[in-house]
Amino acid sequence: MNFRIYHPAATLVPYVKHYYHLQNAQSGLINLPQNLFSLGDLYMVFLQEGEVTFQPSQHASFTLPAASVVGHFTCHHQIRVKGPVKMTVVQLNAYGCYKLAGLDMSAFNNYYRDLQKHNHAGWHQLTQDLAATADPISLDITLNNAFTTMIAENGHSLKQVDEVADYMVRHQGYINMDRLTRKFKTSRPTLERKFMEVIGITPQLYARMLRFRDAMRNMQKMNVEQWQSFITTNDYYNHAQFIQDFQFFKGETPVTENMPIIAQMRPMAVA
């Protein structure tokens, strides 16, 4: 398997986080690299060859078209990739898709949109340019040029949601909603409406996702005894809350009959 990671142009940060290119000549089902699709971000997928199918635990499965954007993954999901496969993946932050494409994200999480059905001609051109790029080393140049042009031409207003979301990320989701609305001088219904339009989930769910993601990052570096202490002393999680969120985001339970926490937990993809 040939798997490359690229960094976007500085002018595209923070909307675009990474570019990935995966190429595998083998037929059949393929295991994707860990963290290619992770909790908390959006992803554009440009598929030049092969088949990619997502199966969210709370939704019907779907197979991606040639150019699409997927996310937010707010429930457990499985991914099946059938090769030979060649695809380019763009990792976006929470509001990156709205900035680049201007799509209303309110009915979007755990599903996808076909970018070639979007009325911006740039998506058709980018899909063709990526398919015509024989040398993967130059893929980042193609993507940088396309996204830089789109931002300059479209200029979709993020409605202050980027400022609120960045503030929540800095605090890892440990925020109070009432304090948040006072800080940004807005009402709770207005903030929720803007979040749904620009990010696709409520600020409460986004904060919950950030808290869980932060806990998982920390806990993947710990042993069992340290986990139990972390859950007890953490500002957000107690055992019951952690188990509830683990089931919600990962689709399984971390408890056994004999131990409060599973001794060996598979790593979870976190952005």
Side-chain angles (χ1 to χ4, degrees):
M1 178 183 294
N2 183 8
F3 182 66
R4 293 175 176 268
I5 304 175
Y6 310 82
H7 295 289
T11 54
L12 298 174
V13 178
Y15 317 116
V16 183
K17 299 178 74 171
H18 290 97
Y19 303 136
Y20 306 99
H21 182 71
L22 185 146
Q23 189 169 348
N24 193 312
Q26 296 181 356
S27 299
L29 296 178
I30 298 171
N31 293 322
L32 293 176
Q34 185 182 343
N35 295 339
L36 183 57
F37 293 95
S38 56
L39 180 69
D41 288 328
L42 296 166
Y43 294 83
M44 289 181 178
V45 181
F46 298 91
L47 188 61
Q48 290 86 49
E49 186 178 2
E51 181 178 289
V52 180
T53 301
F54 283 78
Q55 176 59 74
S57 61
Q58 299 174 8
H59 299 268
S61 63
F62 56 89
T63 300
L64 296 183
S68 60
V69 58
V70 294
H72 279 279
F73 297 115
T74 62
C75 67
H76 175 63
H77 64 280
Q78 294 179 329
I79 307 171
R80 295 171 63 89
V81 179
K82 187 177 181 180
V85 66
K86 184 190 297 184
M87 67 178 179
T88 302
V89 179
V90 180
Q91 183 181 16
L92 306 168
N93 75 351
Y95 48 83
C97 181
Y98 190 88
K99 183 67 175 180
L100 294 176
L103 296 172
D104 186 342
M105 305 296 291
S106 59
F108 195 71
N109 41 317
N110 298 311
Y111 213 61
Y112 78 100
R113 289 292 184 274
D114 188 340
L115 287 172
Q116 292 190 318
K117 293 182 178 179
H118 191 41
N119 57 8
H120 193 287
W123 300 114
H124 296 272
Q125 187 61 52
L126 177 56
T127 303
Q128 294 173 8
D129 291 345
L130 290 174
T133 303
D135 186 358
I137 294 178
S138 61
L139 278 173
D140 58 334
I141 299 174
T142 301
L143 291 163
N144 285 336
N145 291 339
F147 293 150
T148 300
T149 300
M150 287 180 189
I151 289 179
E153 291 178 351
N154 299 325
H156 300 293
S157 171
L158 291 169
K159 310 176 190 300
Q160 201 185 30
V161 171
D162 54 331
E163 299 176 31
V164 181
D166 289 346
Y167 178 82
M168 295 170 72
V169 170
R170 288 196 299 272
H171 290 80
Q172 300 295 350
Y174 298 100
I175 50 93
N176 177 279
M177 286 297 158
D178 291 334
R179 191 178 303 124
L180 191 68
T181 55
R182 290 196 300 271
K183 176 178 176 59
F184 289 95
K185 298 180 173 60
T186 185
S187 68
R188 189 162 179 162
T190 298
L191 180 62
E192 292 175 349
R193 175 179 54 79
K194 288 182 177 180
F195 248 75
M196 288 299 298
E197 181 181 357
V198 173
I199 292 182
I201 55 179
T202 65
Q204 295 91 331
L205 179 55
Y206 187 59
R208 181 182 175 188
M209 184 182 297
L210 292 174
R211 291 193 296 264
F212 180 72
R213 192 173 71 178
D214 180 61
M216 289 301 300
R217 283 202 189 104
N218 284 285
M219 293 177 69
Q220 286 171 359
K221 303 173 185 177
M222 302 175 185
N223 59 34
V224 177
E225 291 75 16
Q226 291 172 318
W227 289 356
Q228 296 180 46
S229 175
F230 177 82
I231 292 174
T232 302
T233 59
N234 186 275
D235 290 339
Y236 173 76
Y237 287 106
N238 56 39
H239 281 89
Q241 289 173 315
F242 176 76
I243 292 169
Q244 183 182 40
D245 279 4
F246 198 96
Q247 290 173 326
F248 182 73
F249 291 119
K250 201 171 187 305
E252 58 188 45
T253 178
V255 298
T256 66
E257 293 181 359
N258 299 321
M259 298 182 63
I261 302 294
I262 288 179
Q264 293 187 359
M265 181 170 59
R266 293 193 303 273
M268 179 179 183
V270 291

